[in-house]
Amino acid sequence: MVPFTSGPDAAPESGVRSYSRDWPVQFTRARGARLSDDQGRSYLDFFAGAGTLNYGHNHPVLKRALRDYLDEDGITHSLDLFTAARTGFLTALQRHVLAPRGLDYRVQFPGPTGTNSVEAALKLARKVTGRSTVVAFTGAFHGMSLGSLAVTGNDAKRAGAGIPLAGVHRLPYDGFADGTVSGPALLDAMLRSGNSGLDRPAAVIVETVQGEGGVNVASARWLGELSDVCHRHGMLLIVDDVQMGCGRTGPFFSFEAAGVVPDIVCLSKALSGYGLPLALTLLRPELDVWEPGEHNGTFRGNNLAFVTAAAALTEFWRDSGLEKRTLRRGEVVHERLLAMARTAPGTGAQVRGRGLVWGLHFADASLAGRVARRAFTRGLLVETSGAYGEVLKLLPPLTASDQELDEGLTILAESITATLAQDGPPPDGIPSDATALTAIAATPFGENE
């Protein structure tokens, strides 16, 4: 066995790797909300595969379904051939997700990743409307392939394209520039004007919560106004629910709370429930104008992912229990983070989020990264987001116990205190030790439902 090297000279992997630089250990096992490394150390996971592991690592129900399927020599690769696993997934999706919500969508398997879903959505919108441009928003992140990068806002990500990223009109997201300009109102005014120079776009693509952009949350009112503008001007509304779907904000789809019904929906990440690649593009039936094979991919028929996804939908979405539990816990996490922000004056700490996606924004862009590194040394995995990594981003598994959520938030509070103390005397109001801060921040989760 080749010895593991955790430094920058680790071969033969490209220097493009990123998360392993922040957490330079070799992980060997994972279950539920915890991972272990090759030294036997345990880590509480508030990263969850960047939102891929909503049901935690190796959930026993999903693992059993996968092992049974493999033991029976089930089909693993099938492109778009009909298989029992494919039919089982589509049946579960219709029964537990689409039908209860009154949603009439065709299901397209565009390829294994979120950016595949976005690319398919953009291509389809242009094909259906005969128009070429798309509206996207400041702070957006939609993927790393060229079409997805074009609608992404982050400068550093866009710079990697190497070519001009055209065909996109950029508008302010909800709250951008302190909310001084309304994106939907501006778009409506420009499309009504005969002098704006804006040709009518094919579609608008939006995230209801911008996870990578810094956990920026669009209000239900803003999303409703955006939907109205799209309908008024004959543009398709695409919701990118790759990271915020599958229950991350509470409901299965993040747009449910706003009462909007998108024309096209992009899903991936937590869809398989087990970290196996799977993506969907959902589209209204009248938009299904693809010619056979016009958009395809070798790995669009991931039967192992179909198996675990069907098991996850049946286990977690046959009733509203998980949704209610996520919303209840989200309220408590919110209060805990607000308490942490209050006890850290001078840092510009701001709290934002929904369900079980939360961000703690700091005025000093380096502070979030320093707190995340300290949290890692204390056994907590938490990442940063935002254009400059200025936001601590919390994505715990939806299935984490109340005790695990409490433990993670306690470690986070301790890490904030220790980081501020190391940089000099704590500002006025900062407790002198982590125990005091944790006591101020603590709000009981109560019993598991």
Side-chain angles (χ1 to χ4, degrees):
M1 178 181 291
V2 177
F4 173 69
T5 305
S6 61
D9 297 326
E13 196 171 355
S14 165
V16 75
R17 61 187 175 84
S18 58
Y19 292 117
S20 57
R21 297 178 185 276
D22 295 326
W23 305 322
V25 298
Q26 182 159 276
F27 295 104
T28 56
R29 297 174 62 85
R31 184 171 185 178
R34 296 185 186 276
L35 299 93
S36 299
D37 68 16
D38 58 0
Q39 302 301 308
R41 291 177 295 232
S42 178
Y43 302 84
L44 190 57
D45 188 2
F46 273 30
F47 171 62
T52 299
L53 297 164
N54 281 7
Y55 316 117
H57 298 268
N58 288 305
H59 191 281
V61 172
L62 279 58
K63 181 165 64 174
R64 186 180 311 115
L66 180 58
R67 293 179 68 172
D68 289 347
Y69 185 77
L70 289 171
D71 286 343
E72 295 167 1
D73 292 330
I75 301 292
T76 57
H77 181 270
S78 62
L79 294 155
D80 62 3
L81 297 174
F82 296 127
T83 66
R86 182 192 197 91
T87 299
F89 166 71
L90 289 170
T91 300
L93 180 69
Q94 180 67 24
R95 178 179 298 157
H96 300 303
V97 176
L98 299 181
R101 291 161 179 79
L103 296 174
D104 184 16
Y105 285 129
R106 293 280 176 88
V107 180
Q108 179 183 354
F109 299 109
T113 71
T115 197
N116 293 124
S117 180
V118 170
E119 295 282 359
L122 297 175
K123 285 173 63 175
L124 182 62
R126 288 169 170 138
K127 178 179 174 67
V128 167
T129 63
R131 302 176 221 133
S132 60
T133 59
V134 174
V135 171
F137 292 93
T138 56
F141 178 79
H142 296 289
M144 299 298 282
S145 52
L146 289 178
S148 300
L149 273 179
V151 290
T152 288
N154 184 279
D155 290 346
K157 298 289 193 296
R158 291 171 58 86
I163 62 170
L165 297 171
V168 177
H169 300 297
R170 190 76 51 185
L171 287 177
Y173 192 72
D174 194 10
F176 183 80
D178 296 323
T180 53
V181 180
S182 165
L186 177 61
L187 178 60
D188 187 42
M190 293 181 73
L191 290 171
R192 289 176 182 274
S193 169
N195 291 315
S196 70
L198 176 66
D199 296 325
R200 187 162 49 132
V204 175
I205 185 168
V206 67
E207 303 156 275
T208 66
V209 179
Q210 295 180 331
E212 299 304 307
V215 195
N216 306 312
V217 181
S219 69
R221 177 178 179 179
W222 188 90
L223 291 167
E225 291 172 353
L226 181 63
S227 177
D228 290 344
V229 172
C230 287
H231 293 155
R232 189 176 305 131
H233 296 283
M235 301 175 294
L236 300 181
L237 177 61
I238 304 169
V239 169
D240 180 345
D241 236 4
V242 168
Q243 187 171 78
M244 296 303 152
C246 303
R248 177 52 60 181
T249 66
F252 186 87
F253 295 108
S254 70
F255 54 80
E256 292 182 53
V260 303
V261 180
D263 299 294
I264 303 175
V265 182
C266 302
L267 286 175
S268 188
K269 284 194 182 288
L271 185 60
S272 80
Y274 206 74
L276 299 174
L278 180 63
L280 298 182
T281 305
L282 302 175
L283 48 136
R284 289 193 289 109
E286 59 268 32
L287 303 179
D288 191 16
V289 298
W290 292 114
E291 295 294 331
E294 189 175 5
H295 186 93
N296 57 27
T298 303
F299 296 104
R300 65 191 184 277
N302 187 348
N303 286 266
L304 302 185
F306 290 154
V307 169
T308 56
L313 294 177
T314 302
E315 177 70 14
F316 295 107
W317 295 102
R318 60 190 170 196
D319 58 33
S320 60
L322 181 63
E323 176 181 346
K324 292 178 179 176
R325 198 157 54 244
T326 297
L327 293 172
R328 174 181 63 79
R329 291 166 160 185
E331 293 175 358
V332 179
V333 173
H334 187 201
E335 291 301 317
R336 292 280 295 268
L337 291 175
L338 285 173
M340 293 182 207
R342 287 194 297 269
T343 56
T347 64
Q350 298 177 350
V351 179
R352 51 212 191 200
R354 283 176 52 199
L356 280 177
V357 51
W358 289 94
L360 188 58
H361 173 276
F362 294 103
D364 177 357
S366 71
L367 182 54
R370 285 181 281 136
V371 171
R373 287 190 291 273
R374 190 173 295 275
F376 172 66
T377 67
R378 294 167 181 250
L380 176 68
L381 303 184
V382 60
E383 69 166 330
T384 62
S385 69
Y388 305 104
E390 70 276 17
V391 178
L392 275 170
K393 179 183 175 188
L394 281 64
L395 290 170
L398 307 183
T399 53
S401 69
D402 290 348
Q403 292 73 24
E404 287 168 331
L405 289 175
D406 179 74
E407 178 185 347
L409 292 169
T410 298
I411 293 173
L412 187 63
E414 294 171 349
S415 300
I416 293 171
T417 299
T419 301
L420 293 174
Q422 185 182 44
D423 292 343
D428 292 342
I430 292 286
S432 60
D433 62 77
T435 302
L437 188 146
T438 305
I440 292 173
T443 302
F445 280 88
E447 296 299 320
N448 285 323
E449 293 181 358

